[in-house]
Amino acid sequence: MNAFPPGNHDALWLPFTANRQFRASPRMLVSAHGMYYKDDKGNSVLDGCAGLWCVNAGHTRPRIVEAVQKTVATLDFAPAFQMGHPLAFEAADRVARLAPGNLNHVFFCNSGSEAGDSALKIALAYQRLRGEGTRTRLIGRERGYHGVGFGGISVGGISGNRKLYGSLLTGVDHLPHTLDLRRNAFSRGQPEHGAELADELERIVTLHDASNIAAVIVEPMSGSTGVLPAPKGYLKRLREICTKHGIVLIFDEVITGFGRLGASFAAEKYGVVPDIMTVAKGITNGTVPMGANIVSDKIFEAFMQGPPEAIDLPHGYTYTAHPIACAAAIATLDIYAEEHLFERAGALSSYFENAAHALRGYPHVVDIRNEGLVAGIELEPRPGTSTTRAYEIFDRAFRQGVLLRYTGDTVAISPPLIVEKNEIDRIFETIGRLLKEID
Ligand code: PXG
């Protein structure tokens, strides 16, 4: 069967893809159910990465499908500027109730990238509204990923995503990343060493003075740059330094939110609450694009001080709180709660951890990292070329019926939270076999 439908296949430009290599040897998906995709040849493909870290409840869940179908036939679109609809209020309330601490206010957007840029704008505006308008500098972290908007790539720390795009935002500094193979290789869960790396924020404060710094944004566990859980104590230290200096702390929970780590959010799991949390992906089980900022009372209240008829936040999107996305989010949160999927992920995590770490000692493996239902297997690169080994594992695994992700030299695994033990076995056995197969 021809993988491609008729037409000009150059018409589609795929993101973060080697397009010419892909067209020569495509990987095509045509349907999905539960833990499995079906490819264009009719083969079943076990989803080892929840689509792109987003389908946490598994694919085509009837409750979500029906909510979407009903909504699209009832209220296909509703403007969100100076207008509202019931699903938007319900979805915000549900998300806020799930969030820890005083994170009680939800601003909807359509992706993790928009959530990242929105969070930075809210933080800057907040500082100005509270009379601290000199606080304009933004701090990210090396190896951070906050999407692909100009704000996100500026505070992000991946040179490959930045180098083609000019000067980016000015006034940005980066904390050092926390990956330390020398001290922490083959850690299970959060690594022991590296809390002191948060003190680098003090160094940046000394350099610029706190009166010039608006916000710090980090992922509690970096996903896209190879699964890097924060070292023990690191996030708490970052929280303390931000509080001491009046800096807004933003957690990017686009991957870590909605059960991936065995709790609703990493903030809950680690007991450290930021001022703003960005989420996306699992908020709708990946079914409809949606992102959000979950904002603290203190920040929200700062925007509610002007004249009631003035627009408090001049920011938003045509598709903010889209009815179909809101319906998908509500149905998704229902499933997470009724099936106790976050708890399930937590309960399965030690089995998953053991399966991942069983690959220690296999050819090419230089580190294995994990937390909740996510793992990264880092491979030694072939001399002179990075990523080719990990790509080969990804490509061969797909052709053998297992969907993985690779990022740099790391193979990433983050299955839907409904995964069964025998499916966890199959994922890691496939990787183990391929590690022995490739050169
Ligand atoms: N923040 C984080 C932490 C992310 O992981 C984004 C923001 C951006 O979200 P959107 O919805 O704009 O893509 C992400 C996205 C991968 C991979 O396999 C990871 C992401 C997206 C695509 C692939 O590494 N993360």
Side-chain angles (χ1 to χ4, degrees), residues 366-391:
V366 296
D367 191 20
I368 296 169
R369 301 180 285 271
N370 69 286
E371 186 74 308
L373 284 190
V374 55
I377 317 287
E378 181 161 344
L379 309 181
E380 190 174 3
R382 288 186 177 125
T385 77
S386 66
T387 81
T388 59
R389 271 196 181 119
Y391 171 80

Side-chain angles (χ1 to χ4, degrees), residues 16 49 51-53 110-116 144-149 219-226 252-256 278 280-281 290-291 405-407 412:
F16 281 106
C49 59
L52 269 182
W53 321 70
N110 310 288
S111 67
S113 299
E114 289 180 357
Y145 185 67
H146 306 292
V148 292
E219 302 154 272
M221 180 211 72
S222 295
S224 294
T225 53
D252 182 333
E253 295 234 24
V254 167
I255 281 181
T256 53
T278 72
K281 292 188 187 278
M290 182 177 237
R405 268 295 291 164
Y406 80 103
T407 154

Side-chain angles (χ1 to χ4, degrees), residues 12 25 32 45 110 152 169 197 217 231 258 278 284 323-324 326 357 399:
L12 179 64
S25 184
V45 180
N110 310 288
L169 290 189
L197 291 166
I217 181 167
F258 302 103
T278 72
T284 59
I324 300 172
C326 291
H357 282 268
R399 295 177 202 289

Side-chain angles (χ1 to χ4, degrees), residues 1-74:
M1 180 181 171
N2 186 351
F4 287 124
N8 168 19
H9 306 133
D10 278 346
L12 179 64
W13 194 354
L14 290 166
F16 281 106
T17 297
N19 275 267
R20 285 160 298 163
Q21 180 191 49
F22 180 88
R23 279 196 296 278
S25 184
R27 293 169 291 269
M28 300 278 274
L29 301 170
V30 296
S31 65
H33 185 69
M35 281 298 300
Y36 294 88
Y37 279 108
K38 204 146 253 173
D39 75 5
D40 56 324
K41 298 175 189 70
N43 299 318
S44 149
V45 180
L46 174 59
D47 186 356
C49 59
L52 269 182
W53 321 70
C54 49
V55 185
N56 292 359
H59 293 275
T60 53
R61 299 297 306 260
R63 189 167 187 150
I64 304 172
V65 172
E66 282 156 23
V68 165
Q69 286 172 333
K70 184 170 158 235
T71 306
V72 73
T74 314

